[in-house]
């Protein structure tokens, strides 16, 4: 059967949209072949949302890619992929081209890399209709694209039509990708981690939008996610581990009464479903004299053409952090979180205001004084892969701060590095490896080891666990809490994941448009928010408690 024949066939409404039967997928060939998916089976019914959850390497994305024929270096070597009753498992690329977009829509994970940076939004959306030979002329295609942009909730569609991807926010770019996925009203939409890089409020709006469009078009949704809070919105859940399905069923059943130990562990590790809080250091002082970080009236303005006062990235911000505690900074993209921590770590100079760390005003530090200050405050970045030098061994990466700041003998540096690597829970055999050979969780442990090797007083964590799977995330959070108790560390924790903040932080500042709109103990701010914006943030958390 050709793609065209398939597309002209009226499907039996009694059949599921997607029926995966004993599917196996492998990468490589011959003796080097490695099986990634082992004989899995599940169905997606009409109008249903089915979520596949599991850690990295569980096979969930490979499963999704096999359905749409986009396996890179892999192949389906067993089983069936029944789409509307037709087995497409062995279809050629040319046959599948007729399905991609028309019968199966794809919403990819990263809106930053999924759009062509040198083409306008309008031309990229219009191409969908041109490729599939939709009977529209140029004027008709533009009208259809404008209709789609409005449908996915983008303001000023005419303006967006002529803009380039870099001119849109992450949430706006994700809406463009959703418009592409639904343009030809497919039967099945595959959403591969569609909200993992988005702020919590944007995440909720995107998930709400997918639900609305699903109802309007009667499409089914296959949702790939590592976030069980997101999966809770689905009708059914399939849990994968090591390329196998370990549990499947209705979402309420899986989340409320899991039968498999692995599923139970995923739930236990998910901040969204956890009512537990970390053990707080017993000696956290409360008097102002014990505040190690003091921010008073902090402002940062950037020059902006046509605006004399410039862009107020941070506007009159004040907060204090007690020694040995964790203070979180939360808010949407553009709220001023990153600019704030860049000033705290000495990478940006404030326009006005005061930053005091350990009783020392750092606002005007420069030269050697600024360099020495970096021993006191260290930064752990969001993406450990891009923040670690790919050419250096792990030993050199962790050793480098010692070489820069302390004239130690080689033998002493070796001892300190090995002790710190062991302290963050890594085996010593990683010391001679390179970052590319480590998992995401292992790389983040290396980044933490590098930050702690100089024994700083304050560690700033910039979205340090947002790129990690829920189980790895839980292990890193536990490690951070353990290191805080052992070394008396003070953390400033920047995150868009309020469920994580609720679990790890003592106090929190909520920022919006550069200003702090609410602050205080986490339990107070999240449990009884006063400001409407804070209420919206809290309401946007996918789930706080396990369904009963």
């Amino acid at each position: 059967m050709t793609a065209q024949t398939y597309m002209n066939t009226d499907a039996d409404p009694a059949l599921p949209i997607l029926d995966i039967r004993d599917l196996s997928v492998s990468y490589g060939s011959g003796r080097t072949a490695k099986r990634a998916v082992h004989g899995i089976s599940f169905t997606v019914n009409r109008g249903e949302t089915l979520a596949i959850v599991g850690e990295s390497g569980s096979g969930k994305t490979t499963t999704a890619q096999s359905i749409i024929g986009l396996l890179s270096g892999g192949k389906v070597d067993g089983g069936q992929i029944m789409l509307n009753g037709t087995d497409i498992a062995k279809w050629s690329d040319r046959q599948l081209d007729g399905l991609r977009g028309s019968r199966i829509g794809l919403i990819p994970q990263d809106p930053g890399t999924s759009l062509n940076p040198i083409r306008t939004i309008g031309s990229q959306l219009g191409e969908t209709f041109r490729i599939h030979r939709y009977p529209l002329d140029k004027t008709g295609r533009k009208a259809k694209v404008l209709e789609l942009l409005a449908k996915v909730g983008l303001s000023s569609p005419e303006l967006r039509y002529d803009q380039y991807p870099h001119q849109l926010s992450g949430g706006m770019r994700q809406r463009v990708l959703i418009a592409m996925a639904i343009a030809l009203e497919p039967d099945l939409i595959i959403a591969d981690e569609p909200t993992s890089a988005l702020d919590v409020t944007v995440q909720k709006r995107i998930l709400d939008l997918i639900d609305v469009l699903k109802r309007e078009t009667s499409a089914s949704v296959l949702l790939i996610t590592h976030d069980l809070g997101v999966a809770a919105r689905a009708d059914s859940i399939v849990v994968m581990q090591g390329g196998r399905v370990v549990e499947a069923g209705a979402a309420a059943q899986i989340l409320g009464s899991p039968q498999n130990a692995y599923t139970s562990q995923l739930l236990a590790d998910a901040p969204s479903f956890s009512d537990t809080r970390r053990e707080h250091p017993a000696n956290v002082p409360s008097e102002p004299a014990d505040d190690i970080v003091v921010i008073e009236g902090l402002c940062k303005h950037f020059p902006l053409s046509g605006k004399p006062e410039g862009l107020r990235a941070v506007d009159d911000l004040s907060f204090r952090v007690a020694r040995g505690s964790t203070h979180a900074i939360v808010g949407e993209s553009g709220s001023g979180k990153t600019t704030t921590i860049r000033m705290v770590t000495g990478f940006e100079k404030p326009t006005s205001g005061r930053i005091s760390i350990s009783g020392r005003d750092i606002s005007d530090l420069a030269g050697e004084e600024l360099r020495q200050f970096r021993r006191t405050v260290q930064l752990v970045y969001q993406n450990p892969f891009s923040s670690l030098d790919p050419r250096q061994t792990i030993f050199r990466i962790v050793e480098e701060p010692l070489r820069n700041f302390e004239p130690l003998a080689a033998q002493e540096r070796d001892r300190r590095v090995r002790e710190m690597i062991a302290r963050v829970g890594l085996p010593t055999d990683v010391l001679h490896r390179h970052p590319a050979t480590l998992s995401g969780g292992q790389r983040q442990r290396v980044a933490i080891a590098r930050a702690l090797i100089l024994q700083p007083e304050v560690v700033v964590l910039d979205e340090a666990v947002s790129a990690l799977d829920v189980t790895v995330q839980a292990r890193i959070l536990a490690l951070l809490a353990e290191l805080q108790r052992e070394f008396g560390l003070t953390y400033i924790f920047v995150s868009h994941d309020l469920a994580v903040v609720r679990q790890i932080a003592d106090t929190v500042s909520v920022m919006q448009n550069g200003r702090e709109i609410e602050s205080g103990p986490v339990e107070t701010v999240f449990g009884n928010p006063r400001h409407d914006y804070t209420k919206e943030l809290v309401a946007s958390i996918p789930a706080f408690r396990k369904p009963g």
Side-chain angles (χ1 to χ4, degrees):
M1 181 180 288
T2 66
Q4 191 64 41
T5 303
Y6 171 89
M7 291 165 65
N8 292 334
T9 300
D10 292 328
D12 184 349
L15 292 173
I17 289 290
L18 181 68
D19 187 1
I20 301 296
R21 303 176 181 175
D22 201 29
L23 179 69
S24 295
V25 180
S26 296
Y27 289 90
S29 59
R31 293 182 178 180
T32 62
K34 182 179 180 181
R35 181 154 288 181
V37 174
H38 303 260
I40 68 169
S41 300
F42 62 85
T43 60
V44 181
N45 295 313
R46 296 181 185 277
E48 177 187 34
T49 296
L50 181 140
I52 302 181
V53 301
E55 296 176 280
S56 291
S58 63
K60 56 186 189 296
T61 294
T62 293
T63 299
Q65 290 173 339
S66 68
I67 294 166
I68 203 168
L70 295 177
L71 287 167
S72 178
K75 64 176 181 178
V76 174
D77 54 9
Q80 296 176 300
I81 302 172
M82 307 295 294
L83 185 68
N84 279 328
T86 301
D87 186 5
I88 63 171
K90 301 297 183 182
W91 277 26
S92 66
D93 258 354
R94 185 174 180 181
Q95 288 176 300
L96 289 171
D97 278 343
L99 299 184
R100 298 175 187 134
S102 60
R103 301 275 61 88
I104 304 176
L106 175 65
I107 306 172
Q109 176 174 0
D110 187 355
T113 60
S114 300
L115 294 170
N116 189 331
I118 61 172
R119 294 186 59 189
T120 64
I121 298 302
S123 68
Q124 293 186 64
L125 263 171
E127 188 176 36
T128 302
F129 300 102
R130 186 182 60 79
I131 288 175
H132 288 276
R133 299 179 182 177
Y134 212 79
L136 292 171
D137 59 15
K138 186 176 180 180
T139 302
R141 281 199 302 272
K142 180 173 182 178
K144 191 70 176 176
V145 168
L146 293 174
E147 179 187 325
L148 277 169
L149 292 174
K151 191 170 188 177
V152 298
L154 278 169
S155 60
S156 308
E158 289 275 2
L159 172 65
R160 310 304 174 200
Y161 185 93
D162 292 317
Q163 287 184 318
Y164 291 87
H166 75 273
Q167 296 174 294
L168 306 184
S169 69
M172 293 168 75
R173 289 195 293 264
Q174 193 63 287
R175 288 174 184 264
V176 172
L177 292 175
I178 292 172
M180 287 182 175
I182 67 166
L184 301 180
E185 299 188 0
D187 301 316
L188 176 68
I189 297 171
I190 299 176
D192 187 5
E193 299 278 9
T195 61
S196 63
L198 303 177
D199 293 330
V200 63
T201 49
V202 181
Q203 177 189 80
K204 182 178 184 300
R205 292 174 198 139
I206 293 298
L207 293 172
D208 288 345
L209 173 62
I210 292 173
D211 284 344
V212 169
L213 295 173
K214 183 188 76 168
R215 290 194 296 270
E216 288 181 354
T217 62
S218 300
S220 301
V221 176
L222 181 62
L223 177 63
I224 310 298
T225 182
H226 69 266
D227 187 334
L228 274 74
V230 171
R233 299 176 59 121
D235 301 297
S236 302
I237 291 177
V238 170
V239 182
M240 291 189 67
Q241 181 187 27
R244 293 179 169 84
V245 173
V246 297
E247 190 164 1
Q253 172 194 333
I254 296 294
L255 299 177
S257 183
Q259 302 301 303
N260 184 272
Y262 176 70
T263 309
S264 297
Q265 187 61 54
L266 286 179
L267 281 167
D269 291 336
S272 294
F273 293 98
S274 175
D275 285 321
T276 61
R277 298 259 301 142
R278 70 177 179 89
E279 180 184 344
H280 291 266
N283 60 343
V284 175
S286 57
E287 295 300 320
D290 294 314
D291 290 331
I292 186 173
V293 178
V294 177
I295 307 292
E296 294 180 335
L298 191 64
C299 295
K300 180 64 179 181
H301 299 170
F302 292 99
L304 192 64
S305 177
K307 198 172 182 181
E309 71 274 18
L311 172 66
R312 297 188 177 187
V314 177
D315 192 6
D316 195 25
L317 174 65
S318 300
F319 63 83
R320 294 171 177 265
V321 186
R323 187 180 297 275
S325 71
T326 299
H327 183 78
I329 304 176
V330 303
E332 294 179 290
S333 294
S335 62
K337 306 187 302 290
T338 298
T339 302
T340 296
I341 63 170
R342 285 184 61 81
M343 288 188 284
V344 170
T345 51
F347 290 106
E348 290 280 359
K349 293 286 185 184
T351 304
S352 61
R354 175 173 170 260
I355 304 171
S356 173
I357 296 179
S358 291
R360 183 183 187 187
D361 191 336
I362 69 160
S363 306
D364 296 319
L365 291 183
E368 182 61 20
E369 281 190 316
L370 178 60
R371 196 180 82 87
Q372 290 300 325
F373 158 74
R374 302 203 192 284
R375 296 176 61 114
T376 304
V377 179
Q378 285 287 300
L379 177 64
V380 178
Y381 294 91
Q382 175 177 359
N383 188 338
F385 189 72
S386 61
S387 66
L388 302 178
D389 189 336
R391 300 165 298 177
Q392 290 189 334
T393 64
I394 301 305
F395 180 88
R396 293 297 182 192
I397 288 170
V398 179
E399 179 200 35
E400 186 176 28
L402 292 176
R403 296 174 69 93
N404 289 339
F405 285 96
E406 295 192 17
L408 300 173
Q411 186 176 1
E412 177 62 13
R413 290 199 306 271
D414 183 87
R415 184 189 68 79
R416 294 266 293 270
V417 169
R418 289 178 182 275
E419 281 186 356
M420 186 54 68
I421 282 292
R423 190 62 205 83
V424 298
L426 288 172
T428 55
D429 63 11
V430 305
L431 289 171
H432 303 294
R433 294 164 63 183
H434 290 79
T437 68
L438 304 185
S439 68
Q442 288 175 320
R443 287 194 291 264
Q444 197 61 292
R445 288 173 186 263
V446 171
I448 292 169
R450 180 180 61 181
L452 297 185
I453 196 72
L454 292 174
Q455 301 175 338
E457 297 180 72
V458 178
V459 178
V460 178
L461 300 124
D462 185 12
E463 299 280 8
V465 297
S466 65
L468 304 176
D469 288 335
V470 63
T471 301
V472 180
Q473 180 186 86
R475 293 175 190 145
I476 296 298
L477 291 175
L479 171 66
L480 290 172
E482 186 179 339
L483 293 170
Q484 184 176 52
R485 289 192 295 271
E486 180 175 345
F487 298 116
L489 297 169
T490 301
Y491 293 146
I492 296 179
F493 193 88
V494 175
S495 180
H496 69 263
D497 190 333
L498 272 70
V500 169
V501 168
R502 173 176 172 265
Q503 184 174 329
I504 193 174
D506 301 290
T507 54
V508 61
S509 291
V510 181
M511 294 188 68
Q512 183 185 33
N513 299 327
R515 299 185 67 87
E516 180 186 76
I517 60 170
E518 194 161 352
S519 65
V522 168
E523 291 91 341
T524 303
V525 173
F526 286 4
N528 187 28
R530 302 187 310 273
H531 196 281
D532 287 343
Y533 177 69
T534 311
K535 292 176 182 177
E536 183 186 4
L537 286 179
V538 173
S540 299
I541 300 174
F544 254 153
R545 293 178 177 83
K546 188 187 303 183

